[in-house]
């Protein structure tokens, strides 16, 4: 009898898990909270490690049609404007790692995965039907949706995001913690910007207590911008007036280089309050495989390892998780709990390393005084050797681990 995998969450991680489980030969039933599939207007960076995975799933053509492929990553001092170092991407990334470095609109990546799973035999997508509760009795997992419906499956994958109810039920832990960092995000048509502010590269501006990243998406038609500052989050973001974000952001960037300030002002000028605010939350790096799988329940993506965005690998780690889940599910000589444990064993250390590196990068990006001076000196001297991350881009965490 064909195994049935239940999936909580229909974001990037949930759809990647659905595609992976289907390719492994299981029946998939996915349950998503929202009444319609969709994603917010933000950008995603895809390193060669995850581009290779999308290619292996047959998604290269769709990626090529929707993504941008920046030619370089440039780091700049956000106060002086000095270009400190440059890492060539484009053909150089393909030569080094066997795949390109891409940047993509989050909605386009979500749609790419949605198109891949829709219509596949044995994949059932259920909208407006979040998973509220689950119970694992060792033989089957039973979920209860918000509508009160009970469904049995052979295993459950919790891909329900940073506020995962699956995680809270499995690990009995606390909600994620505030980082004290605020992300202001905007997406703007490049044609609406002055020519000097348009870009086909990734630029990271590093300043005291803040940093900014800009890069093209949608084949260069749009520019994605994210500026992360340090500060307390609003008391209630659901009622937060985002119209004030542009002014708040400009105050946070006092002393920044004129080009960066001009970009912030230009974004505010071309749209109706395009800057959106997100307080960033996180969890401590994964402590062991038990935090990613127990019994017939596994966690994937932000449900397992929410991370700061300072290594640009949040979506990538979710997709890598899904690829490892696919490998584990094909090990039919093992019982399902052992397959899920193999998945967790092969993923937890890499995810923990990425989480820890992202925290460290944030400290470096936001450095002040002598630490910032040392950072800039090192980047001038070592350049691309400091900016490249071979251990990350060459692998996907799939090396075998003993059960």
């Amino acid at each position: 009898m064909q195994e049935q995998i239940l999936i909580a969450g229909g974001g990037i991680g949930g759809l990647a898990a659905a595609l992976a489980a289907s390719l492994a030969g299981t029946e998939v039933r996915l349950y998503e909270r929202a009444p319609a599939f969709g994603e917010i207007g933000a950008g995603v960076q895809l390193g060669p490690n995850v581009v290779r995975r999308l290619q292996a799933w047959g998604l290269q053509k769709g990626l090529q049609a929707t993504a941008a492929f920046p030619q370089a990553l440039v780091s700049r001092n956000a106060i002086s404007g000095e270009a400190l170092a440059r890492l060539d991407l484009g053909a150089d990334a393909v030569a080094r790692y066997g795949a390109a470095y891409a940047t993509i609109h989050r909605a386009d990546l979500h749609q790419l995965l949605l198109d891949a799973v829709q219509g596949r035999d044995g994949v059932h997508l259920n909208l407006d039907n979040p998973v509220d509760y689950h119970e694992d009795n060792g033989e089957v997992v039973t979920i209860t949706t918000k509508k009160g419906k009970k469904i049995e499956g052979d295993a459950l994958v919790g891909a329900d995001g940073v506020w995962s109810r699956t995680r809270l039920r499995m690990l009995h832990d606390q909600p994620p913690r505030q980082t004290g960092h605020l992300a202001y995000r905007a997406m703007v048509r490049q044609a609406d910007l002055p020519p000097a502010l348009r870009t086909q590269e990734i630029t990271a501006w590093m300043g005291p207590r803040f940093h900014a990243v800009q890069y093209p998406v949608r084949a260069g038609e749009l520019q994605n911008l994210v500026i992360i500052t340090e500060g307390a989050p609003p008391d209630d973001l659901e009622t937060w007036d985002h119209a004030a974000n542009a002014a708040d952001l400009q105050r946070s960037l006092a002393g920044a280089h004129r080009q960066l300030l001009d970009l912030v002002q230009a974004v505010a000028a071309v749209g109706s309050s395009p800057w959106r605010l997100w307080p960033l939350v996180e969890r401590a790096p994964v402590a062991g495989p038990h935090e990613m799988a127990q019994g017939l329940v596994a966690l994937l993506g932000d449900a397992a390892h929410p991370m700061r965005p300072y290594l640009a690998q949040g979506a990538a780690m979710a997709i890598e998780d899904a690829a490892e889940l696919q490998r584990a599910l094909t090990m039919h000589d093992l019982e399902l709990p052992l397959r899920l444990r193999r998945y967790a064993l092969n993923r937890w250390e890499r995810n923990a390393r990425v989480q820890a590196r992202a925290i460290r990068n944030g400290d470096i990006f936001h450095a002040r005084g002598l630490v910032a001076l040392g950072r800039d000196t090192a980047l001038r001297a070592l350049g691309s050797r400091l900016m490249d991350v071979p251990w990350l881009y060459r692998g996907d965490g799939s090396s075998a681990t003993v059960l």
Side-chain angles (χ1 to χ4, degrees), residues 143-192:
I143 65 170
T144 304
T145 70
K146 191 172 183 180
K147 295 180 177 179
K149 187 175 182 179
K150 293 185 181 294
I151 303 101
E152 286 188 354
D154 294 296
L156 169 65
V157 176
D160 42 350
V162 67
W163 303 101
S164 169
R165 295 180 68 87
T166 310
R167 179 192 179 101
L168 294 178
R169 175 71 178 163
M170 186 180 99
L171 297 178
H172 308 289
D173 64 356
Q174 299 300 310
R177 63 196 183 197
Q178 296 286 343
T179 64
H181 291 194
L182 306 174
Y184 293 85
R185 293 188 172 103
M187 188 78 69
V188 61
R189 290 180 68 247
Q190 300 235 52
D192 292 337

Side-chain angles (χ1 to χ4, degrees), residues 48 73 86-89 92-93 96-97 101 311 357 379 382-394:
L73 168 61
R86 177 186 179 91
L87 174 66
D88 289 328
L89 300 174
D92 282 31
R96 289 197 302 274
Y97 301 118
Y101 194 111
L311 198 54
R357 178 66 177 266
L379 282 168
L382 299 175
S384 61
R385 282 179 288 174
L386 281 185
M387 298 171 69
D388 204 0
V389 197
W391 65 263
L392 177 61
Y393 298 144
R394 285 198 182 111

Side-chain angles (χ1 to χ4, degrees), residues 19 79 90 105 121 137 141 148 153 181 186 197 199 201 204 232 240 258 273 303 311 350 361:
L19 177 58
I79 304 302
H105 196 300
D121 290 342
N137 69 6
V141 175
H181 291 194
L197 299 180
T199 188
E201 298 179 333
W240 181 250
R258 185 73 259 165
S273 182
L311 198 54
R350 181 168 168 88
N361 277 8

Side-chain angles (χ1 to χ4, degrees), residues 312-374:
Q313 284 285 316
M317 290 301 102
I319 292 171
E320 281 192 10
D321 284 350
E324 184 57 43
L325 180 68
Q326 179 182 345
R327 282 187 283 262
L329 289 176
T330 60
M331 298 176 183
H332 297 293
D333 55 327
L334 299 177
E335 296 295 324
L336 252 177
L338 288 178
R339 279 181 268 165
L340 296 183
R341 179 164 173 77
R342 172 60 64 91
Y343 153 76
L345 282 166
N346 282 350
R347 288 301 301 161
W348 79 270
E349 289 180 299
R350 181 168 168 88
N351 285 321
R353 186 178 185 184
V354 172
Q355 286 176 291
R357 178 66 177 266
I359 293 171
R360 174 173 169 258
N361 277 8
D363 292 338
I364 294 170
F365 292 173
H366 290 203
R368 296 172 292 156
L370 291 176
V371 177
L373 179 62

Side-chain angles (χ1 to χ4, degrees), residues 55-141:
Q55 290 170 335
W57 284 340
L59 304 182
Q60 171 65 18
K61 184 176 180 180
L63 182 67
Q64 198 78 33
T66 58
F69 298 89
Q71 294 302 302
L73 168 61
V74 179
S75 62
R76 304 178 74 100
N77 183 292
I79 304 302
S80 70
E82 177 190 359
L84 301 168
R86 177 186 179 91
L87 174 66
D88 289 328
L89 300 174
D92 282 31
V94 176
R96 289 197 302 274
Y97 301 118
Y101 194 111
T103 51
I104 190 169
H105 196 300
R106 193 174 189 90
D108 292 341
L109 177 58
H110 188 267
Q111 189 64 49
L112 186 66
L113 293 166
L114 181 59
D115 289 345
V117 299
Q118 282 184 321
R120 285 190 63 87
D121 290 342
V123 176
H124 311 276
L125 305 177
N126 301 277
L127 292 166
D128 195 23
N129 213 1
V131 175
D132 266 5
Y133 180 87
H134 76 266
E135 185 174 1
D136 173 6
N137 69 6
E139 298 293 331
V140 296
V141 175

